[in-house]
Amino acid sequence: MSTPTATLLAEIAEIGRDEVRGGVTRPGLGSAEIALRDWFIEHARARGLEVEIDRNGLTWAWWLPVDGSRDGAVATGSHLDSVPGGGALDGPLGVAGALRALDVLRTRHAHPPRPLALVVFCEEEGSRFGLPCLGSRLMTGAVAPERVRGLRDAHGVTFSSAARDAGIDPDGIGENPEALAHLAAFVELHVEQGRGLQDLGRPVAIAGSILAHGRWQVTLTGAGDHAGTTRMADRHDPVVVLAGIVRAVRQAARSWPDARGTVGRVEVVPGGTNVIASRARAWIDLRHASDDVVRSMLATILSDAAREAESEGCSLAVTEESFTPAVAFDTRLAARLRSVLPDAPVLDTGAGHDAGILAARVQTAMLFARNPTGTSHAPAESCTDEDAEAGAVALADVLDDLLARPLDAPGPS
């Protein structure tokens, strides 16, 4: 069985289509993600792979050597969930590309010299439960399972409940040293999130590093009241403070070269046009190459927010939902990728990835396929059929090299 990358992507393009926002909405452990998981399993089994879903909801498909061993495996894959109204390639290109790379490798080898694992991570975006790369964080022990079980989505559904509905026992989630012990290296193909390759005239790039990034929830509590009868001097309006936070995030990010600062989600309670809000929430996303700069930006923002909250007579509470330090991918593995793909430029990324979480426990690397618009997390995200295929073939070439010649030693450099 051999299917072009674009054909694979076309099969799933309408799953989770969002008619209101545009693009696709595929929340983690939701019906769209589960449908996509089933699609992957069907393709994996059609190729004769051994398939299993592990304790954390990661889906594994194994192409094994003659002796059936899984030790010293090379792995590839990505995720199938999306942000609300996101592009159809962020995640799925890496999964479809993994299947296509396998097809290419099977034209070269009857059996792999070492085991190859195709893996689909769950809830990478964190758009449902607020914790990005949730599956890989659980797998590596980067987050406590007790915390994850109690996470709730916007509708109050707990992770535990959603996991049960998806066929996962929430009591069994947590670090998976057995799976990690099998892996010698992990390489993730991803659609480019930015416009570097278009300007360089190249179809594929090698990832250099990932910016440090974090998410914080800010809750402001004031006093709800009538919009027409409450004098301006008597108000305790949390939305006024929220507006100041949005400005402070923009100002803090602009004060550091190459920093990023975003407030992409807010909630106002009760949300009536003629009602002064009683509570408001904002979610802050901050990124920079330096962990310390991200923390410095946050401190400045929260200091400003505290002053505005006090002036408005509101209370302020802050919760860190996640923080991921800057990731420099394994130098030995990166050198191997450059030897296989000598014409591929090296590009850093400001987006988080499961490969970045795994980097603490396994040698990891990434490839990017050209996105001519440079847009990601939005419907305009794109990749031509030719570039998607080029990314999958480049991935196959890298995997072929890693399967043939083991890395010097396991573990990140």
Side-chain angles (χ1 to χ4, degrees), residues 389-400:
E389 189 71 4
V393 172
L395 177 63
D397 291 341
V398 166
L399 295 175
D400 203 0

Side-chain angles (χ1 to χ4, degrees), residues 15-30:
I15 296 176
R17 178 66 58 189
D18 194 320
E19 300 298 336
V20 176
R21 300 181 181 94
V24 295
T25 297
R26 300 163 171 170
L29 301 180

Side-chain angles (χ1 to χ4, degrees), residues 120-316:
V120 177
F121 296 91
C122 64
E123 180 69 332
E124 190 269 357
E125 297 292 1
S127 61
R128 182 172 184 183
F129 295 105
L131 184 61
C133 301
L134 190 151
S136 54
R137 289 181 194 273
L138 282 170
M139 176 187 180
T140 59
V143 63
E146 296 79 15
R147 177 190 172 193
V148 173
R149 292 187 191 105
L151 294 174
R152 293 180 180 272
D153 68 12
H155 303 288
V157 177
T158 64
F159 173 87
S160 290
S161 177
R164 289 191 188 95
D165 290 344
I168 302 162
D169 179 5
D171 293 333
I173 64 173
E175 185 175 4
N176 193 343
E178 298 90 349
L180 289 167
H182 287 311
L183 301 183
F186 175 78
V187 182
E188 181 174 1
L189 172 66
H190 203 280
V191 66
E192 183 189 16
Q193 295 172 291
R195 194 186 151 82
L197 284 169
Q198 180 70 12
D199 294 340
L200 292 170
R202 298 289 185 181
V204 178
I206 299 167
S209 63
I210 299 177
L211 300 185
H213 54 283
R215 299 181 185 184
W216 293 267
Q217 180 191 128
V218 179
T219 301
L220 303 156
T221 304
D225 215 324
H226 194 292
T229 63
T230 308
R231 298 184 307 170
M232 299 305 290
D234 295 336
R235 299 186 180 205
H236 307 290
D237 189 345
V239 177
V240 173
V241 186
L242 186 151
I245 289 174
V246 174
R247 290 192 300 269
V249 168
R250 172 63 67 89
Q251 183 175 347
R254 283 180 166 174
S255 67
W256 292 93
D258 296 321
R260 320 279 196 265
T262 306
V263 177
R265 177 185 172 193
V266 298
E267 290 179 359
V268 175
V269 178
T273 304
N274 59 346
V275 179
I276 300 167
S278 58
R279 187 171 69 250
R281 288 196 180 97
W283 279 260
I284 300 171
D285 183 301
L286 300 175
R287 307 181 187 225
H288 190 270
S290 164
D291 300 359
D292 291 340
V293 169
V294 172
R295 294 292 188 187
S296 178
M297 286 195 294
L298 178 67
T300 299
I301 293 163
L302 295 183
S303 176
D304 291 346
R307 284 195 297 271
E308 291 208 27
E310 182 179 9
S311 175
E312 187 66 21
C314 296
S315 66
L316 169 71

Side-chain angles (χ1 to χ4, degrees), residues 47 49 63-66 101-114 116 396-405:
R47 288 162 170 78
L49 306 185
W63 187 38
L64 299 176
V66 175
L102 172 70
D103 293 344
V104 172
L105 290 172
R106 290 176 67 172
T107 67
R108 304 175 184 177
H109 309 282
H111 300 281
R114 300 170 68 201
L116 175 68
D397 291 341
V398 166
L399 295 175
D400 203 0
D401 179 72
L402 294 173
L403 290 169
R405 297 189 297 120

Side-chain angles (χ1 to χ4, degrees), residues 3-11 13 88-89 93 96-97 100 104 189 191 198 203-204 369-372 381-394:
T3 310
T5 313
T7 301
L8 291 166
L9 290 167
E11 292 176 0
L89 300 172
L93 175 62
R100 178 58 176 153
V104 172
L189 172 66
V191 66
Q198 180 70 12
V204 178
R370 177 166 48 193
N371 176 354
E381 175 184 273
S382 68
C383 183
T384 66
D385 293 353
E386 294 77 13
D387 286 350
E389 189 71 4
V393 172

